[in-house]
Amino acid sequence: MRYAQLVMGPAGSGKSTYCSNMVKHCENIKRSIYVVNLDPAAEYFDYPVIADIRELIQVDDVMDDPDLRLGPNGGLVFCMEYLLNNLNWLEEKLGYVEDDYFLFDCPGQIELYTHFPIMKTLIDHLQKWDIRPCAVYLVDSQFMIDAPKFISGTMSALSCMVNLELPHVNIMSKMDLIGPGDKENIERYLNADCESLADELDQLRGKKFHKLNSMISRMIEDYSLVKFLALNFNSEDSVEAIMYQIDTAIQYDEDREFTNQDADDEDADNQ
């Protein structure tokens, strides 16, 4: 069995920064991890990759094609569909080594996760290749500083969860960049209750939307479908807690313990 994190989220949510810091964290704890860049519009990242979709196709080339005449979003969708038609390239790049652990740095266009079956098709193929993926959905904490924005971020994460049908970890990124006042506001939303959310929405949007505000807030609380973990790369405890949650979601440590126990039992039998 192999394992993977699909690092997703809106543009600017810190996906490449997340990958960079996770690579450094894994180096510090002597753990092997391999990064795959799936963003055909990426311009810069400071970590080594074992596969880069830009070797296969780039957004700029698609947009410059006079026969296609696509804009940035259409060009990116075209690139991802081209990847699906050439998945043998990706499979060859990944190779096969038992217990490999991958980080897939994914594009930031939200429609790839909510409107098109592209990512779901990719996930199905990863699972066929004996890779167990976890969706890691990032939202910029600087965006989640009031009730409307928090609900917007929650709904986008929920849409992604429903469409991809994967173990899912939601993260508020860039906690190290926010001020004390905003941090207090965000911490209120990490364990928000429906009444406080509805009251804040009523104050901002008016009482005529009270019923809608209450229903949205209650759905978030009652189903507990979306919970966010705060990520601060200045805190090693924060990074370790995130990694633990992801490993638990994909049963990484459990599988390794089971495999090690099998090997011990086999050695004992041979003796």
Side-chain angles (χ1 to χ4, degrees), residues 45-208:
F45 40 79
D46 61 354
Y47 43 81
V49 297
I50 63 166
D52 186 347
I53 190 176
R54 296 178 304 174
E55 298 174 7
L56 185 67
I57 189 169
Q58 297 188 31
V59 166
D60 288 343
D61 293 338
V62 173
M63 292 172 57
D64 291 340
D65 190 314
D67 294 328
L68 295 174
R69 297 187 180 184
L70 295 173
N73 286 345
L76 188 138
V77 172
F78 181 93
C79 289
M80 298 306 292
E81 290 176 339
Y82 188 83
L83 172 65
L84 294 185
N85 292 325
N86 293 273
L87 283 174
N88 58 315
W89 171 85
L90 180 60
E91 185 177 12
E92 182 179 339
K93 287 287 187 179
L94 297 180
Y96 191 96
V97 177
E98 187 73 17
D99 290 336
D100 267 351
Y101 199 115
F102 301 103
L103 282 178
F104 287 86
D105 189 356
C106 300
Q109 277 69 10
I110 192 66
E111 58 264 32
L112 292 175
Y113 315 105
T114 59
H115 294 65
F116 299 101
I118 294 172
M119 297 304 295
K120 184 66 172 68
T121 303
L122 174 62
I123 288 165
D124 291 342
H125 279 83
L126 293 178
Q127 292 170 330
K128 290 177 183 177
W129 298 341
D130 203 26
I131 297 175
R132 184 181 297 164
C134 174
V136 179
Y137 192 85
L138 274 63
V139 177
D140 188 345
S141 59
Q142 298 172 100
F143 175 79
M144 308 281 274
I145 57 175
D146 59 39
K149 292 178 180 177
F150 172 79
I151 289 176
S152 175
T154 299
M155 291 301 185
S156 67
L158 177 58
S159 178
C160 183
M161 292 171 67
V162 170
N163 279 284
L164 299 185
E165 300 177 322
L166 282 180
H168 202 103
V169 176
N170 297 299
I171 296 174
M172 281 193 187
S173 63
K174 305 183 183 181
M175 289 293 289
D176 49 304
L177 300 181
I178 62 173
D182 287 338
K183 186 174 182 180
E184 291 180 5
N185 287 335
I186 290 172
E187 287 176 349
R188 289 193 297 117
Y189 298 127
L190 290 175
N191 296 290
D193 63 87
C194 68
E195 290 186 4
S196 63
L197 281 177
D199 288 344
E200 186 171 344
L201 288 172
D202 286 347
Q203 294 173 13
L204 293 170
R205 297 292 181 258
K207 287 289 186 179
K208 67 178 181 178

Side-chain angles (χ1 to χ4, degrees), residues 253-269:
D253 289 326
E254 293 179 24
D255 286 346
R256 287 175 60 84
E257 289 173 5
F258 182 77
T259 302
N260 292 338
Q261 183 62 49
D262 284 349
D264 293 340
D265 292 343
E266 184 176 346
D267 290 340
D269 290 342

